[in-house]
Amino acid sequence: MRLKLGAVVLGALLTGGCSWFSWLPWVDKKPDVDEPAKLERFKAELKVDRVWGASIGDGLGKKYVRLPPAIVADRVVAADAYGHVEARDRFKGKRLWRTRIGKPDKSGLMSRRDPSFVSGAVGAGEGLALIGTTRAEIIALSIADGTERWRVRVSSEVVAPPTGGEGYVFAQTSDGRVVALDATSGGKVWTFDTQVPILTLRGTSAPVYRSGAVFVGFANGKIGAFRAATGEPLWEQRVMLPQGRSELDRIVDVDGSPLVTPSAIFAASFQGRVKALRPADGSVFWERETSTSVDLAGGLGQVYVVDDKDVIHALEQRTGTVVWEQRGLYRRRLSPPVTIADYLVVGDDEGYLHVLAQSDGRFVARRKLDGKGIRSGMATVDDLLYVLGNGGKLAALRLEPR
């Protein structure tokens, strides 16, 4: 018995290599390549000035939901994960209305750990603030005063912001359905079903409405275009074909919302590719291998991708050529990127906001905003940037030259 045990231990030592002896002072220690990058100093070219700040409810909770704020006219609407929704004057930060769309249920095992239930927020359109929940509800509030216009139960939870357009509200549910509702009554107009793989990421693509069409990415690695009024499929394109033996290897969710421009639609999948598609028929005119599960951003003729290792890529929109890459935020769990003026902005898991030049990816500014981190997408209008931290801190920021 001792002989067998000794053989097992010796085998473990041999297969483990030098890591078993790394405590010895004369053994070289290799850095852990998967450790988050340490922030390097740089010469700041801009200041990140806070125009105003406010606290929104109790924050985003522990379920790793992303709840980006929405901008409608002169107001910004934000929600926490526990049912509080607020609208504030986007210039001064004054609260215009506050409401609660429901209360947490603490009866279940997971609920006792974190009873949050708001999972898809905040969408906007047709004069409505639109909220999705883990309770399989879509809730429409008046942008004007926060009163509830309607509440509709759908087939499963809504984990991405709904959106509105052409008199309709569009949402994707976690069971792979796209649903269109009447914006006035909440009545169901049409649905489209897709087959959801056995194993998927926790998230879905938010529908994007443009000029009578709705574009949606799916967990099966495809993106589809639909006629907004009827749900008629216009085209479908595969972003990535599932590959590999295990279900983990075959995860190819298109969870980031498509980036829609007049000349192209850009979509990306996890463990897959970024593709540029023609809006008319979905045909591909370039593709590049990159894995991501967050929204893309566009600006200055480039498309920006935060990959699954938090490396930021700038790709030329016409050809897909790599313009630059920024590895200084490796493994820092970045938020979806957003562009403002000539800059690209991301948040990280430690609550830092990082500002990069779109031209070459260099760092130009940094500011810590929320000690609990920043994982939600941000909103921009004119020269103002709106950021909601995980702890519920909402800030309106302006980039100023030093």
Side-chain angles (χ1 to χ4, degrees), residues 56-371:
I56 306 296
D58 298 317
L60 304 193
K62 301 176 182 178
K63 294 181 179 176
Y64 209 79
V65 295
R66 290 187 171 104
L67 304 179
I71 306 295
V72 182
D74 64 346
R75 55 198 62 196
V76 55
V77 185
D80 75 352
Y82 304 94
H84 299 99
V85 187
E86 291 188 16
R88 292 180 175 266
D89 180 287
R90 73 177 186 89
F91 301 104
K92 303 294 185 182
K94 179 183 177 182
R95 183 189 293 164
L96 302 176
W97 53 260
R98 184 183 188 189
T99 190
R100 191 160 196 180
I101 59 173
K103 293 184 178 180
D105 179 6
K106 301 181 180 181
S107 60
L109 178 63
M110 291 302 293
S111 295
R112 286 196 293 271
R113 178 177 174 269
D114 180 4
S116 62
F117 66 95
V118 177
S119 51
V122 174
E126 304 299 303
L128 302 172
L130 302 163
I131 316 292
T133 75
T134 60
R135 299 168 180 171
E137 293 176 319
I138 299 173
I139 301 163
L141 307 176
S142 168
I143 287 288
D145 58 13
T147 55
E148 185 173 314
R149 292 287 185 82
W150 46 261
R151 179 182 299 238
V152 172
R153 184 167 293 276
V154 288
S155 58
S156 65
E157 60 184 342
V158 180
V159 294
T163 190
E166 203 173 303
Y168 306 104
V169 168
F170 308 98
Q172 182 176 186
T173 55
S174 61
D175 60 358
R177 292 185 178 182
V178 181
V179 59
L181 307 173
D182 181 273
T184 302
S185 65
K188 191 173 295 184
V189 180
W190 57 262
T191 61
F192 179 86
D193 294 353
T194 61
Q195 186 173 1
V196 176
I198 295 173
L199 198 59
T200 68
L201 299 178
R202 168 69 174 165
T204 64
S205 167
V208 177
Y209 170 81
R210 290 289 187 280
S211 304
V214 180
F215 304 93
V216 192
F218 296 107
N220 60 11
K222 295 180 180 180
I223 178 176
F226 307 90
R227 196 175 305 280
T230 63
E232 173 193 354
L234 301 175
W235 52 259
E236 182 181 77
Q237 180 60 252
R238 183 170 289 283
V239 181
M240 185 62 187
L241 181 70
Q243 298 175 343
R245 292 184 176 181
S246 73
E247 293 300 330
L248 280 173
D249 293 334
R250 295 172 63 82
I251 296 176
V252 290
D253 297 48
V254 181
D255 272 2
S257 297
L259 173 63
V260 181
T261 71
S263 58
I265 297 168
F266 303 93
S269 71
F270 182 70
Q271 298 187 139
R273 298 187 176 100
V274 179
K275 287 190 176 182
L277 313 173
R278 290 183 173 84
D281 59 8
S283 58
V284 180
F285 62 89
W286 64 255
E287 60 184 79
R288 177 169 291 277
E289 288 193 12
T290 306
S291 172
T292 186
S293 59
V294 299
D295 296 351
L296 308 176
L300 298 187
Q302 297 170 170
V303 56
Y304 304 102
V305 186
V306 174
D307 73 18
D308 58 4
K309 293 181 175 61
D310 298 311
V311 176
I312 304 174
H313 307 259
L315 308 178
E316 209 279 330
Q317 288 190 7
R318 293 175 300 170
T319 64
T321 303
V322 177
V323 180
W324 54 259
E325 291 182 349
Q326 175 54 260
R327 298 178 176 271
L329 301 174
Y330 182 83
R331 295 290 192 190
R332 293 188 64 86
R333 302 180 76 178
L334 301 183
S335 72
V338 68
T339 56
I340 180 170
D342 294 334
Y343 307 104
L344 182 74
V345 185
V346 293
D348 74 14
D349 199 44
E350 293 183 2
Y352 286 98
L353 198 72
H354 306 275
V355 185
L356 295 75
Q358 289 190 53
S359 58
D360 58 9
R362 72 185 187 278
F363 292 108
V364 296
R366 178 184 297 146
R367 177 168 178 166
K368 189 163 188 175
L369 292 180
D370 191 319

Side-chain angles (χ1 to χ4, degrees), residues 30-37 309 330-331:
K30 294 181 180 180
D32 187 345
V33 295
D34 282 332
E35 283 292 311
K309 293 181 175 61
Y330 182 83
R331 295 290 192 190

